[in-house]
Amino acid sequence: MNIKRVAQNTAKVLISYLTYQAVQTIVAQLRETNPPLGIWLNRFSSQDKIQDGEAYIQELLQVNQDLAMRVMTVRAHLAEEVTEFLPEMACTGIQQANMEHRRQHLERIAQLTVSHPTETAESGSDSELSDSASNESNESNLDNRSN
Amino acid sequence: MNIKRVAQNTAKVLISYLTYQAVQTIVAQLRETNPPLGIWLNRFSSQDKIQDGEAYIQELLQVNQDLAMRVMTVRAHLAEEVTEFLPEMACTGIQQANMEHRRQHLERIAQLTVSHPTETAESGSDSELSDSASNESNESNLDNRSN
């Protein structure tokens, strides 16, 4: 696993998402101050187009430089306000979600074991796919470190 | 602008993206150790499905619990390795990209001014949309703070 590449790709996705949030913020502001311009910006900013934040801003600069400048200002502001909380929010969010998935899964297995004790005792090796996966899964952390 | 809501939505997008990266990592590992399972996981993990990381893991738990557990382990590991660098990478990335967009835009305007001095002097107020936008753009920071 190439941690540096994952970090770079993740930062790029994050920047594009903050650009999208900046546009949403400006559209909401324009709804109050200049509705026709808000509608225009909303139409211009389709989800496909905004997947790449930099290409989107370049295109917007060609047709409305003031709005493009405003998007750049707001996304820089959002990044400063929001990103410092993200490491903790993402790590805690993943830990909690993982725990909840495991808990629900154990409950489901326990219920199955109570209702069909013999069938489920072997369910871990029922299919070829889950059988081969179980050999891999314990090594995943080691693999990650060494790749 | 509701900073807390933006932070929560951004964390959710980040978690789903790290889930996607965890799946990509595991598919790459399986290519070496168990190609058929790698192909199966790659087919199972379509882009649409993985947009919501939690729904994806729930679905994977139903069909292959070992792989689902492995995805959860790898995404938690990725979050710990990667997220601490993101605030700096996102803030610096946005500042640099904004600077570059502004520089390119100024160069383009300068070139236009040299080649067509009279036309471009009024280009800022050419369209109704850019005219109305210019009144707004200076207030965007104030708006953001107060909303």
Side-chain angles (χ1 to χ4, degrees):
Chain A
M1 181 171 2
N2 186 338
I3 290 289
K4 199 178 163 190
R5 194 179 45 74
V6 173
Q8 283 168 340
N9 289 344
T10 310
K12 205 178 159 195
V13 166
L14 186 55
I15 289 173
S16 286
Y17 186 72
L18 289 173
T19 308
Y20 164 78
Q21 282 288 352
V23 172
Q24 292 305 306
T25 302
I26 294 168
V27 166
Q29 289 166 351
L30 288 174
R31 238 176 244 138
E32 307 286 328
T33 55
N34 187 341
L37 187 61
I39 291 168
W40 179 84
L41 180 62
N42 197 34
R43 279 199 192 136
F44 178 82
S45 316
S46 66
Q47 197 127 31
D48 278 356
K49 204 182 271 177
I50 218 163
Q51 287 283 330
D52 178 346
E54 305 319 319
Y56 167 82
I57 286 177
Q58 270 185 340
E59 208 175 323
L60 186 57
L61 265 171
Q62 310 282 339
V63 288
N64 190 318
Q65 64 169 22
D66 296 301
L67 276 182
M69 296 292 173
R70 187 164 164 178
V71 170
M72 287 193 270
T73 305
V74 175
R75 73 174 183 165
H77 169 74
L78 275 180
E80 273 167 29
E81 294 280 325
V82 162
T83 55
E84 63 174 310
F85 303 110
L86 291 180
E88 165 109 28
M89 287 175 89
C91 287
T92 314
I94 283 180
Q95 278 162 15
Q96 286 178 345
N98 282 359
M99 211 158 59
E100 185 58 22
H101 285 306
R102 288 186 181 118
R103 192 188 62 73
Q104 284 179 0
H105 188 64
L106 284 176
E107 273 186 11
R108 217 162 25 230
I109 290 177
Q111 280 170 357
L112 286 173
T113 316
V114 169
S115 49
H116 312 283
T118 47
E119 278 178 38
T120 51
E122 291 167 13
S123 69
S125 53
D126 260 3
S127 81
E128 207 180 309
L129 287 175
S130 36
D131 196 28
S132 8
S134 66
N135 298 329
E136 314 284 347
S137 60
N138 293 332
E139 299 157 24
S140 62
N141 259 331
L142 293 174
D143 286 357
N144 302 339
R145 297 275 175 189
S146 57
N147 281 355
Chain B
M1 182 171 4
N2 186 338
I3 290 290
K4 198 178 164 193
R5 195 180 44 76
V6 173
Q8 283 168 341
N9 289 344
T10 310
K12 205 178 159 193
V13 166
L14 186 56
I15 289 173
S16 286
Y17 186 72
L18 289 172
T19 308
Y20 164 79
Q21 282 288 351
V23 172
Q24 294 305 304
T25 302
I26 295 168
V27 166
Q29 290 165 350
L30 289 173
R31 239 176 242 137
E32 309 285 329
T33 55
N34 187 341
L37 188 61
I39 292 168
W40 179 85
L41 180 61
N42 197 35
R43 280 200 192 134
F44 178 82
S45 316
S46 67
Q47 198 126 30
D48 278 356
K49 204 181 272 178
I50 218 164
Q51 286 284 330
D52 178 346
E54 305 318 318
Y56 168 82
I57 286 177
Q58 270 185 340
E59 209 175 322
L60 185 57
L61 265 172
Q62 311 280 340
V63 288
N64 190 318
Q65 64 170 21
D66 296 301
L67 277 182
M69 296 291 174
R70 186 163 164 179
V71 170
M72 287 194 270
T73 305
V74 175
R75 73 174 184 165
H77 168 74
L78 275 181
E80 273 166 30
E81 294 280 325
V82 162
T83 54
E84 62 174 313
F85 303 109
L86 291 181
E88 165 109 29
M89 288 175 89
C91 287
T92 315
I94 284 180
Q95 278 162 15
Q96 286 177 345
N98 282 357
M99 210 157 58
E100 186 58 22
H101 285 306
R102 288 186 182 118
R103 192 188 62 72
Q104 284 179 1
H105 188 64
L106 283 177
E107 273 186 9
R108 218 163 24 230
I109 289 177
Q111 281 170 359
L112 286 173
T113 315
V114 169
S115 49
H116 311 282
T118 48
E119 278 178 38
T120 51
E122 291 168 13
S123 69
S125 53
D126 260 4
S127 80
E128 205 182 310
L129 287 175
S130 32
D131 195 30
S132 11
S134 68
N135 299 328
E136 314 284 346
S137 59
N138 293 334
E139 299 157 24
S140 63
N141 259 331
L142 293 174
D143 286 357
N144 301 338
R145 297 277 174 187
S146 60
N147 282 356

